[in-house]
Amino acid sequence: MHHPAGVSLLFIALAGGTAAASAHAVASPQPNVAEQYLQSAADRERAALGLPPLRRDPALAAAARAHALEMARHNAISHQFANEPDLAARGSAAGARFSLISENVAQSPSALKIHDAWMHSDGHRHNLLDPGVDAVGIAVVARGSQLFAVEDFEHLVAALTLDQQERAVAAVVSGAGTAVRAADPAARQTCLDDTGSAAANGRRPAFVVRYTTADLGRIPEALRSRLAAGDYPNAVVAACPVVTAGDFTMYQLAVLLYR
Protein backbone atom coordinates (compact mmCIF):
# COMPACT_ATOMS: atom_id res chain seq x y z
CA MET A 1 0.00 0.00 0.00
CA HIS A 2 1.46 3.37 -1.01
CA HIS A 3 1.80 6.04 1.67
CA PRO A 4 3.02 9.62 1.19
CA ALA A 5 6.72 10.02 1.86
CA GLY A 6 7.63 10.94 5.42
CA VAL A 7 4.49 9.48 7.02
CA SER A 8 4.55 6.66 9.58
CA LEU A 9 1.28 4.87 10.46
CA LEU A 10 -0.25 2.33 12.86
CA PHE A 11 -3.86 1.28 13.54
CA ILE A 12 -5.74 -0.91 16.01
CA ALA A 13 -9.38 -1.82 16.68
CA LEU A 14 -10.90 -3.40 19.81
CA ALA A 15 -14.47 -4.41 20.75
CA GLY A 16 -16.50 -5.34 23.65
CA GLY A 17 -0.71 2.84 36.51
CA THR A 18 1.23 5.94 35.54
CA ALA A 19 -0.23 6.41 32.14
CA ALA A 20 -3.77 6.16 33.47
CA ALA A 21 -3.00 8.97 35.89
CA SER A 22 -1.64 11.01 33.01
CA ALA A 23 -4.88 10.52 31.08
CA HIS A 24 -6.76 12.01 34.01
CA ALA A 25 -4.33 14.89 34.34
CA VAL A 26 -4.16 15.94 30.68
CA ALA A 27 -6.94 18.36 29.87
CA SER A 28 -8.75 18.29 26.56
CA PRO A 29 -8.46 21.89 25.33
CA GLN A 30 -10.30 23.31 22.37
CA PRO A 31 -9.10 21.53 19.21
CA ASN A 32 -6.06 23.08 17.55
CA VAL A 33 -5.95 23.74 13.79
CA ALA A 34 -4.50 20.33 12.91
CA GLU A 35 -7.09 18.53 15.05
CA GLN A 36 -9.91 20.55 13.52
CA TYR A 37 -8.66 19.65 10.05
CA LEU A 38 -8.47 15.91 10.82
CA GLN A 39 -12.02 15.87 12.20
CA SER A 40 -13.47 17.88 9.30
CA ALA A 41 -11.61 15.66 6.83
CA ALA A 42 -12.94 12.51 8.53
CA ASP A 43 -16.49 13.89 8.50
CA ARG A 44 -16.18 14.80 4.83
CA GLU A 45 -15.07 11.28 3.91
CA ARG A 46 -17.91 9.78 5.94
CA ALA A 47 -20.49 12.13 4.42
CA ALA A 48 -19.47 10.95 0.96
CA LEU A 49 -20.63 7.46 2.02
CA GLY A 50 -23.84 8.71 3.64
CA LEU A 51 -22.45 8.30 7.17
CA PRO A 52 -23.19 10.87 9.91
CA PRO A 53 -20.46 13.13 11.29
CA LEU A 54 -18.56 12.03 14.38
CA ARG A 55 -19.27 13.65 17.71
CA ARG A 56 -16.22 14.93 19.59
CA ASP A 57 -15.89 13.15 22.93
CA PRO A 58 -13.80 15.37 25.27
CA ALA A 59 -12.89 12.39 27.47
CA LEU A 60 -11.62 10.40 24.51
CA ALA A 61 -9.78 13.49 23.24
CA ALA A 62 -8.04 13.72 26.60
CA ALA A 63 -6.93 10.08 26.30
CA ALA A 64 -5.74 10.73 22.74
CA ARG A 65 -3.76 13.78 23.89
CA ALA A 66 -2.07 11.85 26.70
CA HIS A 67 -0.97 9.21 24.18
CA ALA A 68 0.11 11.78 21.57
CA LEU A 69 2.33 13.40 24.21
CA GLU A 70 3.86 9.99 24.92
CA MET A 71 4.57 9.47 21.22
CA ALA A 72 6.19 12.91 20.99
CA ARG A 73 8.25 12.19 24.11
CA HIS A 74 9.45 8.88 22.63
CA ASN A 75 9.81 10.44 19.17
CA ALA A 76 8.08 7.34 17.80
CA ILE A 77 4.59 6.04 17.09
CA SER A 78 3.02 3.10 18.90
CA HIS A 79 -0.35 2.04 20.25
CA GLN A 80 1.22 1.22 23.61
CA PHE A 81 4.58 2.05 25.13
CA ALA A 82 6.19 0.15 28.00
CA ASN A 83 4.34 0.74 31.29
CA GLU A 84 1.45 2.41 29.45
CA PRO A 85 -2.10 0.94 29.54
CA ASP A 86 -3.61 -0.34 26.32
CA LEU A 87 -6.02 1.66 24.17
CA ALA A 88 -9.23 0.58 25.91
CA ALA A 89 -7.78 1.15 29.38
CA ARG A 90 -6.55 4.64 28.41
CA GLY A 91 -9.98 5.61 27.11
CA SER A 92 -11.78 4.22 30.14
CA ALA A 93 -9.36 5.88 32.58
CA ALA A 94 -10.01 9.24 30.93
CA GLY A 95 -13.76 8.82 31.47
CA ALA A 96 -14.89 7.63 28.02
CA ARG A 97 -17.72 5.05 27.97
CA PHE A 98 -17.78 2.84 24.90
CA SER A 99 -18.68 -0.58 23.52
CA LEU A 100 -16.12 -0.42 20.71
CA ILE A 101 -12.88 1.52 20.36
CA SER A 102 -10.25 1.82 17.61
CA GLU A 103 -7.22 3.98 16.96
CA ASN A 104 -5.16 5.47 14.16
CA VAL A 105 -1.77 6.99 14.91
CA ALA A 106 0.72 8.71 12.63
CA GLN A 107 3.84 10.86 12.45
CA SER A 108 4.29 13.40 9.66
CA PRO A 109 5.16 17.05 9.00
CA SER A 110 1.54 17.93 8.15
CA ALA A 111 -2.03 17.00 9.07
CA LEU A 112 -2.97 16.92 5.39
CA LYS A 113 -0.37 14.20 4.73
CA ILE A 114 -1.55 12.26 7.79
CA HIS A 115 -5.16 12.16 6.63
CA ASP A 116 -4.15 11.28 3.08
CA ALA A 117 -1.98 8.42 4.33
CA TRP A 118 -4.75 7.10 6.55
CA MET A 119 -7.18 7.12 3.63
CA HIS A 120 -4.69 5.14 1.50
CA SER A 121 -4.22 2.42 4.13
CA ASP A 122 -6.92 -0.25 4.33
CA GLY A 123 -6.87 -0.63 8.11
CA HIS A 124 -6.81 3.08 8.87
CA ARG A 125 -9.48 3.79 6.27
CA HIS A 126 -11.71 1.10 7.80
CA ASN A 127 -11.41 2.67 11.24
CA LEU A 128 -12.15 6.13 9.87
CA LEU A 129 -15.19 5.03 7.83
CA ASP A 130 -16.53 2.42 10.25
CA PRO A 131 -20.35 2.86 10.44
CA GLY A 132 -20.22 1.28 13.90
CA VAL A 133 -18.46 4.27 15.49
CA ASP A 134 -20.17 7.55 16.27
CA ALA A 135 -17.66 9.60 18.28
CA VAL A 136 -14.00 10.55 18.09
CA GLY A 137 -11.19 12.04 20.13
CA ILE A 138 -8.31 13.57 18.16
CA ALA A 139 -4.98 14.93 19.38
CA VAL A 140 -2.04 16.35 17.45
CA VAL A 141 1.18 17.24 19.27
CA ALA A 142 4.23 18.86 17.65
CA ARG A 143 7.86 17.96 18.26
CA GLY A 144 10.18 20.00 16.12
CA SER A 145 8.98 19.77 12.53
CA GLN A 146 7.00 16.59 13.16
CA LEU A 147 3.36 16.16 14.16
CA PHE A 148 2.33 13.16 16.25
CA ALA A 149 -1.36 12.41 15.67
CA VAL A 150 -3.80 10.14 17.50
CA GLU A 151 -7.33 9.57 16.20
CA ASP A 152 -9.41 7.47 18.62
CA PHE A 153 -12.86 6.26 17.48
CA GLU A 154 -15.60 4.75 19.63
CA HIS A 155 -19.18 3.64 19.75
CA LEU A 156 -20.24 5.94 22.55
CA VAL A 157 -22.36 4.59 25.38
CA ALA A 158 -24.03 7.80 26.56
CA ALA A 159 -24.58 8.40 30.28
CA LEU A 160 -28.38 8.11 30.48
CA THR A 161 -30.73 7.76 33.44
CA LEU A 162 -32.73 4.55 33.79
CA ASP A 163 -35.85 6.48 32.76
CA GLN A 164 -34.14 7.73 29.59
CA GLN A 165 -33.00 4.21 28.68
CA GLU A 166 -36.48 2.81 29.27
CA ARG A 167 -38.13 5.50 27.15
CA ALA A 168 -35.75 4.81 24.27
CA VAL A 169 -36.51 1.08 24.24
CA ALA A 170 -40.22 1.66 24.90
CA ALA A 171 -40.39 3.70 21.69
CA VAL A 172 -39.14 0.68 19.73
CA VAL A 173 -41.47 -1.76 21.51
CA SER A 174 -44.54 0.47 21.09
CA GLY A 175 -43.61 0.93 17.45
CA ALA A 176 -44.14 -2.81 17.07
CA GLY A 177 -47.75 -2.41 18.24
CA THR A 178 -47.35 -3.33 21.91
CA ALA A 179 -48.59 -0.98 24.64
CA VAL A 180 -45.84 -0.12 27.13
CA ARG A 181 -46.47 0.64 30.80
CA ALA A 182 -44.04 2.45 33.09
CA ALA A 183 -41.53 0.38 35.02
CA ASP A 184 -41.85 0.03 38.78
CA PRO A 185 -39.24 -1.21 41.32
CA ALA A 186 -40.33 -4.84 40.79
CA ALA A 187 -39.70 -4.57 37.04
CA ARG A 188 -36.25 -3.10 37.63
CA GLN A 189 -35.50 -5.89 40.09
CA THR A 190 -36.41 -8.36 37.34
CA CYS A 191 -33.80 -6.64 35.18
CA LEU A 192 -31.20 -7.20 37.90
CA ASP A 193 -32.10 -10.85 38.49
CA ASP A 194 -30.54 -13.53 36.32
CA THR A 195 -33.73 -15.64 36.23
CA GLY A 196 -37.35 -15.44 37.26
CA SER A 197 -39.47 -12.31 37.52
CA ALA A 198 -41.03 -10.11 40.16
CA ALA A 199 -44.71 -9.17 40.01
CA ALA A 200 -44.27 -5.87 38.17
CA ASN A 201 -47.33 -3.63 38.42
CA GLY A 202 -49.01 -6.38 40.44
CA ARG A 203 -48.77 -9.01 37.66
CA ARG A 204 -46.20 -11.58 36.70
CA PRO A 205 -45.17 -11.43 33.06
CA ALA A 206 -45.72 -14.30 30.66
CA PHE A 207 -42.26 -13.89 29.21
CA VAL A 208 -39.09 -11.89 29.98
CA VAL A 209 -36.30 -10.95 27.59
CA ARG A 210 -33.09 -9.79 29.27
CA TYR A 211 -30.28 -8.38 27.16
CA THR A 212 -27.32 -6.04 27.01
CA THR A 213 -26.74 -3.60 24.19
CA ALA A 214 -24.83 -0.49 23.15
CA ASP A 215 -27.67 0.63 20.88
CA LEU A 216 -31.00 1.31 22.58
CA GLY A 217 -32.68 1.66 19.19
CA ARG A 218 -32.18 -2.05 18.40
CA ILE A 219 -33.89 -4.92 20.21
CA PRO A 220 -32.91 -8.62 20.12
CA GLU A 221 -34.40 -10.78 17.39
CA ALA A 222 -35.98 -13.05 20.04
CA LEU A 223 -37.94 -10.06 21.34
CA ARG A 224 -38.76 -8.71 17.92
CA SER A 225 -40.24 -12.04 16.78
CA ARG A 226 -42.44 -12.34 19.89
CA LEU A 227 -43.76 -8.81 19.41
CA ALA A 228 -44.45 -9.52 15.75
CA ALA A 229 -46.52 -12.61 16.69
CA GLY A 230 -49.01 -10.34 18.44
CA ASP A 231 -49.45 -12.60 21.47
CA TYR A 232 -48.38 -9.96 24.00
CA PRO A 233 -50.51 -6.80 23.93
CA ASN A 234 -48.72 -5.19 26.90
CA ALA A 235 -45.11 -4.79 28.00
CA VAL A 236 -42.94 -3.12 30.62
CA VAL A 237 -39.41 -1.98 29.78
CA ALA A 238 -37.01 -1.97 32.74
CA ALA A 239 -33.41 -0.77 32.82
CA CYS A 240 -30.78 -1.45 35.44
CA PRO A 241 -27.29 0.00 35.94
CA VAL A 242 -24.90 -0.34 33.01
CA VAL A 243 -22.59 -3.33 33.00
CA THR A 244 -18.88 -3.22 32.31
CA ALA A 245 -16.68 -5.94 30.89
CA GLY A 246 -13.14 -4.81 31.42
CA ASP A 247 -13.05 -1.30 29.98
CA PHE A 248 -16.18 -1.70 27.82
CA THR A 249 -19.68 -0.53 28.78
CA MET A 250 -23.15 -1.81 27.82
CA TYR A 251 -26.73 -0.95 28.75
CA GLN A 252 -28.62 -3.70 30.60
CA LEU A 253 -32.37 -4.11 30.07
CA ALA A 254 -35.35 -6.41 30.52
CA VAL A 255 -38.61 -6.35 28.58
CA LEU A 256 -41.50 -7.98 30.41
CA LEU A 257 -44.30 -9.23 28.13
CA TYR A 258 -47.90 -9.70 29.24
CA ARG A 259 -50.76 -11.57 27.55
Side-chain angles (χ1 to χ4, degrees):
M1 187 69 64
H2 172 72
H3 301 145
V7 182
S8 300
L9 304 173
L10 287 174
F11 73 91
I12 190 173
L14 302 171
T18 300
S22 297
H24 280 296
V26 177
S28 174
Q30 289 301 307
N32 60 38
V33 173
E35 292 162 357
Q36 291 177 32
Y37 169 78
L38 289 177
Q39 173 138 18
S40 65
D43 287 342
R44 184 177 64 250
E45 304 286 3
R46 292 173 65 87
L49 296 180
L51 297 172
L54 296 166
R55 288 173 284 179
R56 180 179 183 269
D57 181 350
L60 197 59
R65 177 160 295 276
H67 187 58
L69 287 168
E70 283 296 298
M71 294 199 306
R73 185 172 71 84
H74 284 84
N75 198 25
I77 62 171
S78 174
H79 290 297
Q80 184 179 13
F81 292 102
N83 301 317
E84 183 187 30
D86 65 17
L87 168 61
R90 294 195 303 268
S92 178
R97 291 159 46 109
F98 47 83
S99 61
L100 178 154
I101 189 167
S102 57
E103 182 175 76
N104 290 345
V105 299
Q107 174 186 353
S108 176
S110 81
L112 190 151
K113 287 186 176 180
I114 289 171
H115 177 73
D116 184 57
W118 280 340
M119 288 302 294
H120 284 85
S121 164
D122 290 343
H124 297 86
R125 180 184 175 91
H126 172 80
N127 283 350
L128 200 149
L129 299 179
D130 185 354
V133 302
D134 56 15
V136 68
I138 299 174
V140 180
V141 173
R143 173 172 173 165
S145 63
Q146 292 293 301
L147 298 179
F148 292 84
V150 177
E151 198 169 52
D152 288 343
F153 305 95
E154 67 182 349
H155 181 91
L156 180 67
V157 177
L160 302 176
T161 66
L162 299 184
D163 284 339
Q164 288 173 321
Q165 296 172 45
E166 288 162 359
R167 286 197 296 270
V169 177
V172 181
V173 173
S174 62
T178 299
V180 180
R181 300 196 302 269
D184 64 1
R188 288 180 174 170
Q189 183 60 48
T190 297
C191 180
L192 288 168
D193 294 340
D194 291 333
T195 60
S197 62
N201 292 303
R203 295 175 57 202
R204 289 194 179 277
F207 194 80
V208 177
V209 178
R210 296 176 177 85
Y211 66 101
T212 58
T213 182
D215 185 352
L216 294 172
R218 299 180 64 182
I219 58 176
E221 184 55 37
L223 175 57
R224 187 176 299 280
S225 63
R226 286 183 177 270
L227 294 176
D231 295 331
Y232 304 96
N234 298 287
V236 172
V237 175
C240 39
V242 296
V243 293
T244 57
D247 299 301
F248 297 86
T249 302
M250 302 284 276
Y251 300 114
Q252 185 176 1
L253 297 120
V255 178
L256 292 66
L257 300 177
Y258 297 84
R259 295 190 187 277

